[in-house]
Amino acid sequence: MAFSLDIYPYLVILTWGVVMQEDTPRTADYYLNRCIFLPTKFSKTRPSPEPELECIRYRDSSCCRPNMTTSFLEDHQWMNMTDYGHCPQKPRLSPECERLNHDEVCFYACSPHSGPWIVIGNGYPYSHRLKNLPLCASQCDKWWNACKEEYTCHRNWLTDPAWDANGMNICPKDAVCRKYTEMYTSAADFCNTIWDGGYHVVPDTEPCMEFSFDPAKPNPNIPVSRAAAEKKAAVSGTSGLKMYLPSGLFVLFTLFLLYTAPPLF
């Protein structure tokens, strides 16, 4: 029996739909100097100097414009998304907790060195977010010790809150406000949980990031970010080929072609 050559074009189309396709390798520069996208006029897509920025650690190279954190400093409500004083027991943060949270907000919104850990978010209010950024244990301890006497009704401040008509986080119905010391079991539990795994606490002996470093000294996050970017680039360059499954529409189209094609034999 002779094999019909008329079937070849259809087999090529079907194979193309599931063929192992090569990923485009990413360079270290791709992961460096990335900016996390935030839905605000104060956010930027690429870092640049901002001499008047209130976040003094990032004036030489910043992913945000001046006044990015003004609303937080005024009323502890940041960008109509996060109300740090959402519990009536303590609507204002202590001065030290305010300082550490401001440092963290500046790092999140303005640092150009978190690129290797930026991922696409999956819901309101962030379309971009951090995932498993290695946070130095000593930095986590400072943040925790400054804020552990504050109150919250959320463990996870991205997934647990309800949202008001303006998009601000509020306590869900029947949620109970408790001190952080009652809501979290440890400093690491707090740092790892509050922003849905955006941070991952690691010992200071491992490469890790800080957000309240001395601004008069070199930024310790730069070499950590560079090493992480180079590692991700190396993985990207050797990732080889990956299987990409066809879409449903493609499958239906291919089945139609095969159904209408001449017999194989």
PDB file of all heavy atoms in Angstrom, residues 30-48:
ATOM      1  N   TYR A  30      18.717  41.804  31.757  1.00  0.00           N
ATOM      2  CA  TYR A  30      17.259  41.753  31.707  1.00  0.00           C
ATOM      3  C   TYR A  30      16.672  41.774  33.117  1.00  0.00           C
ATOM      4  O   TYR A  30      15.640  42.394  33.360  1.00  0.00           O
ATOM      5  CB  TYR A  30      16.805  40.492  30.973  1.00  0.00           C
ATOM      6  CG  TYR A  30      15.318  40.230  31.069  1.00  0.00           C
ATOM      7  CD1 TYR A  30      14.415  40.886  30.238  1.00  0.00           C
ATOM      8  CD2 TYR A  30      14.807  39.320  32.013  1.00  0.00           C
ATOM      9  CE1 TYR A  30      13.050  40.644  30.335  1.00  0.00           C
ATOM     10  CE2 TYR A  30      13.446  39.083  32.115  1.00  0.00           C
ATOM     11  CZ  TYR A  30      12.572  39.754  31.277  1.00  0.00           C
ATOM     12  OH  TYR A  30      11.231  39.524  31.384  1.00  0.00           O
ATOM     13  N   TYR A  31      17.320  41.087  34.036  1.00  0.00           N
ATOM     14  CA  TYR A  31      16.810  40.996  35.404  1.00  0.00           C
ATOM     15  C   TYR A  31      17.247  42.170  36.273  1.00  0.00           C
ATOM     16  O   TYR A  31      16.642  42.411  37.322  1.00  0.00           O
ATOM     17  CB  TYR A  31      17.284  39.686  36.050  1.00  0.00           C
ATOM     18  CG  TYR A  31      16.754  38.467  35.356  1.00  0.00           C
ATOM     19  CD1 TYR A  31      17.571  37.691  34.532  1.00  0.00           C
ATOM     20  CD2 TYR A  31      15.428  38.079  35.500  1.00  0.00           C
ATOM     21  CE1 TYR A  31      17.086  36.565  33.886  1.00  0.00           C
ATOM     22  CE2 TYR A  31      14.929  36.957  34.855  1.00  0.00           C
ATOM     23  CZ  TYR A  31      15.770  36.207  34.058  1.00  0.00           C
ATOM     24  OH  TYR A  31      15.280  35.095  33.417  1.00  0.00           O
ATOM     25  N   LEU A  32      18.283  42.866  35.854  1.00  0.00           N
ATOM     26  CA  LEU A  32      18.754  44.016  36.619  1.00  0.00           C
ATOM     27  C   LEU A  32      18.038  45.285  36.164  1.00  0.00           C
ATOM     28  O   LEU A  32      17.589  45.401  35.024  1.00  0.00           O
ATOM     29  CB  LEU A  32      20.259  44.182  36.447  1.00  0.00           C
ATOM     30  CG  LEU A  32      21.123  43.066  37.044  1.00  0.00           C
ATOM     31  CD1 LEU A  32      22.565  43.240  36.610  1.00  0.00           C
ATOM     32  CD2 LEU A  32      21.013  43.053  38.565  1.00  0.00           C
ATOM     33  N   ASN A  33      17.941  46.230  37.062  1.00  0.00           N
ATOM     34  CA  ASN A  33      17.334  47.530  36.756  1.00  0.00           C
ATOM     35  C   ASN A  33      15.911  47.408  36.224  1.00  0.00           C
ATOM     36  O   ASN A  33      15.478  48.188  35.387  1.00  0.00           O
ATOM     37  CB  ASN A  33      18.204  48.301  35.749  1.00  0.00           C
ATOM     38  CG  ASN A  33      19.544  48.678  36.336  1.00  0.00           C
ATOM     39  OD1 ASN A  33      19.618  49.140  37.467  1.00  0.00           O
ATOM     40  ND2 ASN A  33      20.605  48.461  35.578  1.00  0.00           N
ATOM     41  N   ARG A  34      15.203  46.397  36.708  1.00  0.00           N
ATOM     42  CA  ARG A  34      13.781  46.278  36.397  1.00  0.00           C
ATOM     43  C   ARG A  34      12.985  47.015  37.464  1.00  0.00           C
ATOM     44  O   ARG A  34      13.388  47.080  38.620  1.00  0.00           O
ATOM     45  CB  ARG A  34      13.338  44.817  36.374  1.00  0.00           C
ATOM     46  CG  ARG A  34      13.975  43.972  35.308  1.00  0.00           C
ATOM     47  CD  ARG A  34      13.609  42.517  35.486  1.00  0.00           C
ATOM     48  NE  ARG A  34      12.207  42.252  35.166  1.00  0.00           N
ATOM     49  CZ  ARG A  34      11.556  41.154  35.534  1.00  0.00           C
ATOM     50  NH1 ARG A  34      12.170  40.242  36.259  1.00  0.00           N
ATOM     51  NH2 ARG A  34      10.296  40.982  35.199  1.00  0.00           N
ATOM     52  N   CYS A  35      11.868  47.537  37.072  1.00  0.00           N
ATOM     53  CA  CYS A  35      10.997  48.225  38.025  1.00  0.00           C
ATOM     54  C   CYS A  35       9.700  47.459  38.186  1.00  0.00           C
ATOM     55  O   CYS A  35       9.117  46.999  37.197  1.00  0.00           O
ATOM     56  CB  CYS A  35      10.697  49.650  37.551  1.00  0.00           C
ATOM     57  SG  CYS A  35      12.108  50.775  37.659  1.00  0.00           S
ATOM     58  N   ILE A  36       9.243  47.352  39.401  1.00  0.00           N
ATOM     59  CA  ILE A  36       7.968  46.723  39.657  1.00  0.00           C
ATOM     60  C   ILE A  36       6.867  47.686  39.236  1.00  0.00           C
ATOM     61  O   ILE A  36       6.919  48.873  39.539  1.00  0.00           O
ATOM     62  CB  ILE A  36       7.845  46.330  41.142  1.00  0.00           C
ATOM     63  CG1 ILE A  36       6.756  45.290  41.335  1.00  0.00           C
ATOM     64  CG2 ILE A  36       7.642  47.526  42.040  1.00  0.00           C
ATOM     65  CD1 ILE A  36       6.862  44.548  42.656  1.00  0.00           C
ATOM     66  N   PHE A  37       5.912  47.206  38.472  1.00  0.00           N
ATOM     67  CA  PHE A  37       4.860  48.090  37.975  1.00  0.00           C
ATOM     68  C   PHE A  37       3.804  48.307  39.045  1.00  0.00           C
ATOM     69  O   PHE A  37       3.269  47.359  39.623  1.00  0.00           O
ATOM     70  CB  PHE A  37       4.194  47.507  36.731  1.00  0.00           C
ATOM     71  CG  PHE A  37       3.010  48.319  36.267  1.00  0.00           C
ATOM     72  CD1 PHE A  37       3.207  49.498  35.554  1.00  0.00           C
ATOM     73  CD2 PHE A  37       1.725  47.939  36.589  1.00  0.00           C
ATOM     74  CE1 PHE A  37       2.118  50.268  35.154  1.00  0.00           C
ATOM     75  CE2 PHE A  37       0.625  48.700  36.184  1.00  0.00           C
ATOM     76  CZ  PHE A  37       0.832  49.875  35.469  1.00  0.00           C
ATOM     77  N   LEU A  38       3.493  49.572  39.308  1.00  0.00           N
ATOM     78  CA  LEU A  38       2.436  49.926  40.248  1.00  0.00           C
ATOM     79  C   LEU A  38       1.476  50.884  39.554  1.00  0.00           C
ATOM     80  O   LEU A  38       1.898  51.745  38.784  1.00  0.00           O
ATOM     81  CB  LEU A  38       3.028  50.594  41.492  1.00  0.00           C
ATOM     82  CG  LEU A  38       3.955  49.714  42.340  1.00  0.00           C
ATOM     83  CD1 LEU A  38       4.651  50.548  43.398  1.00  0.00           C
ATOM     84  CD2 LEU A  38       3.171  48.585  42.985  1.00  0.00           C
ATOM     85  N   PRO A  39       0.183  50.743  39.814  1.00  0.00           N
ATOM     86  CA  PRO A  39      -0.814  51.589  39.127  1.00  0.00           C
ATOM     87  C   PRO A  39      -0.886  52.989  39.719  1.00  0.00           C
ATOM     88  O   PRO A  39      -1.873  53.396  40.312  1.00  0.00           O
ATOM     89  CB  PRO A  39      -2.113  50.811  39.355  1.00  0.00           C
ATOM     90  CG  PRO A  39      -1.900  50.111  40.657  1.00  0.00           C
ATOM     91  CD  PRO A  39      -0.448  49.734  40.684  1.00  0.00           C
ATOM     92  N   THR A  40       0.180  53.738  39.545  1.00  0.00           N
ATOM     93  CA  THR A  40       0.232  55.096  40.075  1.00  0.00           C
ATOM     94  C   THR A  40       1.140  55.949  39.211  1.00  0.00           C
ATOM     95  O   THR A  40       2.099  55.439  38.604  1.00  0.00           O
ATOM     96  CB  THR A  40       0.741  55.102  41.526  1.00  0.00           C
ATOM     97  OG1 THR A  40       1.053  56.442  41.918  1.00  0.00           O
ATOM     98  CG2 THR A  40       2.001  54.259  41.670  1.00  0.00           C
ATOM     99  N   LYS A  41       0.886  57.230  39.180  1.00  0.00           N
ATOM    100  CA  LYS A  41       1.693  58.153  38.378  1.00  0.00           C
ATOM    101  C   LYS A  41       3.099  58.313  38.932  1.00  0.00           C
ATOM    102  O   LYS A  41       3.979  58.866  38.261  1.00  0.00           O
ATOM    103  CB  LYS A  41       1.008  59.513  38.308  1.00  0.00           C
ATOM    104  CG  LYS A  41       0.886  60.209  39.669  1.00  0.00           C
ATOM    105  CD  LYS A  41       0.160  61.532  39.556  1.00  0.00           C
ATOM    106  CE  LYS A  41       0.028  62.230  40.910  1.00  0.00           C
ATOM    107  NZ  LYS A  41      -0.700  63.511  40.799  1.00  0.00           N
ATOM    108  N   PHE A  42       3.329  57.837  40.147  1.00  0.00           N
ATOM    109  CA  PHE A  42       4.651  57.969  40.756  1.00  0.00           C
ATOM    110  C   PHE A  42       5.576  56.807  40.415  1.00  0.00           C
ATOM    111  O   PHE A  42       6.738  56.798  40.803  1.00  0.00           O
ATOM    112  CB  PHE A  42       4.515  58.076  42.284  1.00  0.00           C
ATOM    113  CG  PHE A  42       3.649  59.223  42.730  1.00  0.00           C
ATOM    114  CD1 PHE A  42       2.408  58.991  43.296  1.00  0.00           C
ATOM    115  CD2 PHE A  42       4.078  60.532  42.572  1.00  0.00           C
ATOM    116  CE1 PHE A  42       1.599  60.040  43.706  1.00  0.00           C
ATOM    117  CE2 PHE A  42       3.283  61.589  42.978  1.00  0.00           C
ATOM    118  CZ  PHE A  42       2.045  61.352  43.549  1.00  0.00           C
ATOM    119  N   SER A  43       5.052  55.804  39.715  1.00  0.00           N
ATOM    120  CA  SER A  43       5.843  54.637  39.363  1.00  0.00           C
ATOM    121  C   SER A  43       6.496  54.818  37.997  1.00  0.00           C
ATOM    122  O   SER A  43       5.980  55.532  37.134  1.00  0.00           O
ATOM    123  CB  SER A  43       4.952  53.389  39.353  1.00  0.00           C
ATOM    124  OG  SER A  43       5.712  52.226  39.122  1.00  0.00           O
ATOM    125  N   LYS A  44       7.645  54.172  37.781  1.00  0.00           N
ATOM    126  CA  LYS A  44       8.371  54.252  36.520  1.00  0.00           C
ATOM    127  C   LYS A  44       8.649  52.852  35.991  1.00  0.00           C
ATOM    128  O   LYS A  44       8.656  51.884  36.742  1.00  0.00           O
ATOM    129  CB  LYS A  44       9.693  55.014  36.711  1.00  0.00           C
ATOM    130  CG  LYS A  44       9.523  56.437  37.184  1.00  0.00           C
ATOM    131  CD  LYS A  44      10.822  57.231  37.102  1.00  0.00           C
ATOM    132  CE  LYS A  44      11.875  56.739  38.031  1.00  0.00           C
ATOM    133  NZ  LYS A  44      13.062  57.646  38.084  1.00  0.00           N
ATOM    134  N   THR A  45       8.883  52.767  34.687  1.00  0.00           N
ATOM    135  CA  THR A  45       9.194  51.480  34.080  1.00  0.00           C
ATOM    136  C   THR A  45      10.688  51.180  34.097  1.00  0.00           C
ATOM    137  O   THR A  45      11.087  50.020  34.036  1.00  0.00           O
ATOM    138  CB  THR A  45       8.690  51.425  32.631  1.00  0.00           C
ATOM    139  OG1 THR A  45       9.289  52.505  31.885  1.00  0.00           O
ATOM    140  CG2 THR A  45       7.172  51.576  32.584  1.00  0.00           C
ATOM    141  N   ARG A  46      11.514  52.223  34.155  1.00  0.00           N
ATOM    142  CA  ARG A  46      12.956  52.061  34.216  1.00  0.00           C
ATOM    143  C   ARG A  46      13.517  53.015  35.261  1.00  0.00           C
ATOM    144  O   ARG A  46      13.030  54.132  35.414  1.00  0.00           O
ATOM    145  CB  ARG A  46      13.604  52.365  32.861  1.00  0.00           C
ATOM    146  CG  ARG A  46      13.155  51.478  31.726  1.00  0.00           C
ATOM    147  CD  ARG A  46      13.660  50.054  31.884  1.00  0.00           C
ATOM    148  NE  ARG A  46      15.100  49.955  31.779  1.00  0.00           N
ATOM    149  CZ  ARG A  46      15.785  48.820  31.936  1.00  0.00           C
ATOM    150  NH1 ARG A  46      15.149  47.709  32.232  1.00  0.00           N
ATOM    151  NH2 ARG A  46      17.093  48.795  31.818  1.00  0.00           N
ATOM    152  N   PRO A  47      14.543  52.600  35.997  1.00  0.00           N
ATOM    153  CA  PRO A  47      15.094  53.470  37.038  1.00  0.00           C
ATOM    154  C   PRO A  47      15.899  54.627  36.463  1.00  0.00           C
ATOM    155  O   PRO A  47      16.488  54.526  35.390  1.00  0.00           O
ATOM    156  CB  PRO A  47      15.990  52.523  37.841  1.00  0.00           C
ATOM    157  CG  PRO A  47      16.403  51.471  36.859  1.00  0.00           C
ATOM    158  CD  PRO A  47      15.208  51.283  35.948  1.00  0.00           C
ATOM    159  N   SER A  48      15.902  55.714  37.201  1.00  0.00           N
ATOM    160  CA  SER A  48      16.689  56.894  36.850  1.00  0.00           C
ATOM    161  C   SER A  48      16.886  57.714  38.122  1.00  0.00           C
ATOM    162  O   SER A  48      16.168  57.517  39.111  1.00  0.00           O
ATOM    163  CB  SER A  48      15.974  57.718  35.773  1.00  0.00           C
ATOM    164  OG  SER A  48      14.709  58.147  36.228  1.00  0.00           O
TER     165      SER A  48
END
